[in-house]
Amino acid sequence: MDFEFATEHESFRKEFRDWLAANLPPELCLDDASDDRVASDRDTFERRRVWQKTMHAAGWVGITWPKEYGGRDAGLIERVIWDEEYTAARAPVLPGNMGLSLVGPTIIHWGTAEQKRRHLPAILNADDIWCQGFSEPGAGSDLASLRTRAVDQGDHFVVNGQKVWTSGAHFAHWIILLVRTNPDVPKHQGISCLLVPMATPGVAVRPLVLMTGHHHFNEVFFTDVVVPKANLLGPVNQGWKVSTTTLMYERHSAGGRSHTAQIARLIDLARQVEIDGRPAWDHPGIRQRLAQLAIDSEALKYTRLRSLTRQLRGEPPGPEGSVLKLSGSELGVRIADAAGELLGMHDGAGRAALVQPRAGRAAIHDLGRHERDPAQHHRRARARTAARLSRGAQAGSESRKLSSARSKASG
């Protein structure tokens, strides 16, 4: 098997890498962008919108979208290279990622000409930010049992119900919404998909606030919400097929993140931090642990390549996507734990962290900045621990629900 990229692909990589180096604002950089995938405040969100507009103007957004819809019509390999370079540059998750990766491609597949004209340019340019209204309190692992109801009133639907675990709903302008339009048929056959402005009267967003005050999940309530028939995506009562399209795009994009750069920074940190008068890297136990992280990261790399091979052959997604999502998340936690311990050693608190490794898991954010004030960064890392644990628990719950839904959809 040849793991080398073709000359034109390496040219694409260099072009994007050079552009990021020249244009990415340092203040937007994050060591673990997935942990802050939804901005923690409005100002950060707006700065990221400006960044997406800058990228779009330069032709670096929606690169795999067809040219007729504003993309570059690039191939899957270019998309993989884009992901690798964007992650390596420590760039933030784009605020329009939901629209770019899931909603936009679904509209391209199912949308009317008017829906494509209205929504696709706004998604690319971050003029419209989207959220996903699929899960409900009683319809997570069994998505088709959803109860949010849309009643046909001639030229419009009237929607009542609730969605939950809706990431970024407090920033979103639109929601792609699954509703039940026929309760008298088998559950998979009575669902429709609507495109709903979040500013519509009767739509209410209630934050799910973590113990630290931060939130990125929300509940969304619909009370007598009027949705025009023109906002129906796909045929009425065929929303399960539409949602399957969305979830398949999510499966194709899952697990693309690499941890190589984080581990390299962690190893560099281990060479600087001293334990008992010598660098942490010189201690066999620590060196073995970091080496294991590197080995596991390399194993995930080849799992990603297997997933890529399936897609290039035109085959349906296999188990690689689920493996990458689960194993990649766990590897990220282990890297963060190790970072917290090493930063703790920097100010004398490391031995406690060795006993309770998860106490420092959020310190991955400080890998590139520990030299300036290691003690301060370690204290900040510990202060963020509760938030990481809480967010991880809720994200894991939602991931399991969606994974189950995907399995049902593909089955």
Side-chain angles (χ1 to χ4, degrees), residues 306-318:
R306 284 197 296 273
S307 177
L308 175 60
T309 299
R310 277 182 177 271
Q311 296 180 57
L312 291 172
R313 290 174 176 168
E315 299 174 357

Side-chain angles (χ1 to χ4, degrees), residues 30 47 172 207 227 341 361 395:
L30 298 162
R47 286 196 297 271
V227 182
E341 294 174 21
R361 64 189 299 179

Side-chain angles (χ1 to χ4, degrees), residues 3-329:
F3 293 110
E4 298 297 323
F5 287 95
T7 301
E8 62 268 25
H9 296 145
E10 290 298 349
S11 296
F12 177 87
R13 181 189 300 279
K14 184 179 186 305
E15 180 187 1
F16 188 39
R17 180 182 295 174
D18 291 347
W19 187 87
L20 286 170
N23 293 277
L24 176 60
E27 63 271 17
L28 292 182
C29 292
L30 298 162
D31 272 300
D32 189 356
S34 64
D35 185 54
D36 196 32
R37 60 192 181 278
V38 176
S40 57
D41 56 71
R42 173 66 66 170
D43 287 344
T44 301
F45 167 74
E46 294 298 342
R47 286 196 297 271
R48 292 179 184 177
R49 283 185 75 196
V50 171
W51 167 237
Q52 182 172 326
K53 291 176 182 291
T54 300
M55 293 192 68
H56 175 49
W60 292 111
V61 172
I63 62 167
T64 59
W65 285 27
K67 290 183 179 179
E68 63 182 302
Y69 301 124
R72 291 176 60 160
D73 210 13
L76 181 59
I77 293 180
E78 284 86 351
R79 175 55 199 265
V80 170
I81 292 172
W82 191 101
D83 286 339
E84 290 177 349
E85 293 302 318
Y86 195 76
T87 300
R90 300 169 52 234
V93 173
L94 293 175
N97 184 59
M98 176 67 69
L100 293 168
S101 299
L102 303 183
V103 180
T106 305
I107 291 175
I108 289 172
H109 186 88
W110 289 98
T112 64
E114 174 57 24
Q115 287 171 341
K116 294 174 183 178
R117 184 202 64 78
R118 165 63 183 86
H119 294 296
L120 298 181
I123 288 173
L124 289 171
N125 199 42
D127 292 328
D128 287 342
I129 304 301
W130 286 75
C131 59
Q132 184 182 43
F134 282 18
S135 294
E136 297 184 5
S141 58
D142 182 11
L143 181 59
S145 66
L146 63 89
R147 293 182 294 176
T148 294
R149 183 77 189 277
V151 178
D152 192 333
Q153 297 289 351
D155 64 346
H156 66 274
F157 296 101
V158 175
V159 178
N160 285 277
Q162 175 191 359
K163 299 294 178 177
V164 74
W165 308 123
T166 311
S167 297
H170 52 306
F171 293 138
H173 304 102
W174 287 80
I175 184 169
I176 181 170
L177 184 67
L178 290 184
V179 295
R180 185 158 302 286
T181 43
N182 189 343
D184 300 323
V185 296
K187 58 185 179 181
H188 292 82
Q189 300 173 21
I191 295 171
S192 298
C193 184
L194 302 177
L195 308 177
V196 183
M198 294 295 285
T200 305
V203 178
V205 177
R206 182 181 300 169
L208 293 171
V209 182
L210 305 180
M211 66 178 67
T212 59
H214 176 66
H215 86 276
H216 61 278
F217 289 132
N218 302 271
E219 298 175 289
V220 185
F221 297 87
F222 303 86
T223 305
D224 295 330
V225 175
V226 176
V227 182
K229 286 283 185 69
N231 290 28
L232 175 68
L233 182 62
V236 68
N237 294 325
Q238 295 298 309
W240 187 254
K241 293 182 179 179
V242 178
S243 69
T244 299
T245 301
T246 305
L247 293 172
M248 290 298 281
Y249 278 114
E250 183 178 24
R251 290 188 72 180
H252 276 304
S253 64
R257 172 171 160 256
S258 172
H259 297 83
T260 302
Q262 287 179 321
I263 294 172
R265 288 192 291 273
L266 189 59
I267 291 173
D268 181 64
L269 175 61
R271 290 191 169 109
Q272 298 177 48
V273 173
E274 289 193 357
I275 305 175
D276 298 330
R278 57 188 177 126
W281 181 253
D282 290 347
H283 291 260
I286 293 175
R287 188 167 62 249
Q288 180 178 359
R289 182 176 175 187
L290 297 181
Q292 188 62 54
L293 293 176
I295 292 168
D296 292 346
S297 178
E298 194 73 1
L300 287 179
K301 168 187 171 182
Y302 291 108
T303 303
R304 281 193 296 274
L305 291 176
R306 284 197 296 273
S307 177
L308 175 60
T309 299
R310 277 182 177 271
Q311 296 180 57
L312 291 172
R313 290 174 176 168
E315 299 174 357
E320 294 86 4
S322 299
V323 171
L324 287 168
K325 195 163 189 177
L326 176 61
S327 300
S329 297

